[in-house]
Amino acid sequence: MSIAINAKQCVGCGKCSMVCPGSLIHMNADGKAFIKYPKDCWGCTSCLKECAVHAIRFYLGADMGGMGSLVHTEKEGDVLRWIIDHPDGKTSEIRIHTKQSNQY
Ligand code: SF4
Ligand code: SF4
């Protein structure tokens, strides 16, 4: 599992670095985030959800049924959108209402 950070989109807020439970994300001399130990990422997705400019993509490998798809999140009010870009160019989306997702 791993993520990729688009340096062109990154605005250097540092939030992804602060939330990563493994301290895997660091800031480079240009003030951009990068993942120092990609193989150590266990896919908690915390960094995705913190990035307001959607600069972080999470790889959905074949072992997860993703076959190389990339996922990122976008917030829309109380709804968290999980947007999946598939290798064939198609996009799909899962919408989770954050205020209802913990109710059971
Ligand atoms: S997905 Fe989780 S473990 Fe991986 S880099 Fe992001 S915050 Fe760290
Ligand atoms: S949260 Fe996004 S914008 Fe902020 S440092 Fe991380 S990748 Fe860059």
Side-chain angles (χ1 to χ4, degrees):
M1 287 182 204
S2 189
I3 57 154
I5 302 174
N6 185 326
K8 286 186 185 161
Q9 282 179 267
C10 174
V11 295
C13 71
K15 287 184 179 172
C16 56
S17 172
M18 288 186 268
V19 299
C20 178
S23 301
L24 306 176
I25 302 175
H26 296 256
M27 307 303 289
N28 67 19
D30 296 329
K32 306 282 188 176
F34 70 100
I35 181 159
K36 197 166 184 183
Y37 306 106
K39 287 184 180 167
D40 289 343
C41 169
W42 62 87
C44 73
T45 70
S46 296
C47 56
L48 307 190
K49 291 181 270 188
E50 284 302 319
C51 186
V53 297
H54 322 131
I56 306 178
R57 296 286 186 278
F58 179 73
Y59 291 106
L60 291 174
D63 55 334
M64 298 173 74
M67 302 299 285
S69 301
L70 296 169
V71 65
H72 74 280
T73 60
E74 295 187 17
K75 286 181 185 139
E76 194 178 282
D78 290 335
V79 173
L80 186 63
R81 302 170 61 206
W82 293 81
I83 300 164
I84 303 161
D85 296 315
H86 300 275
D88 62 4
K90 291 181 182 162
T91 300
S92 56
E93 179 176 332
I94 300 166
R95 296 170 71 89
I96 305 287
H97 195 288
T98 54
K99 294 234 168 106
Q100 295 170 354
S101 58
N102 288 332
Q103 294 177 3
Y104 53 88

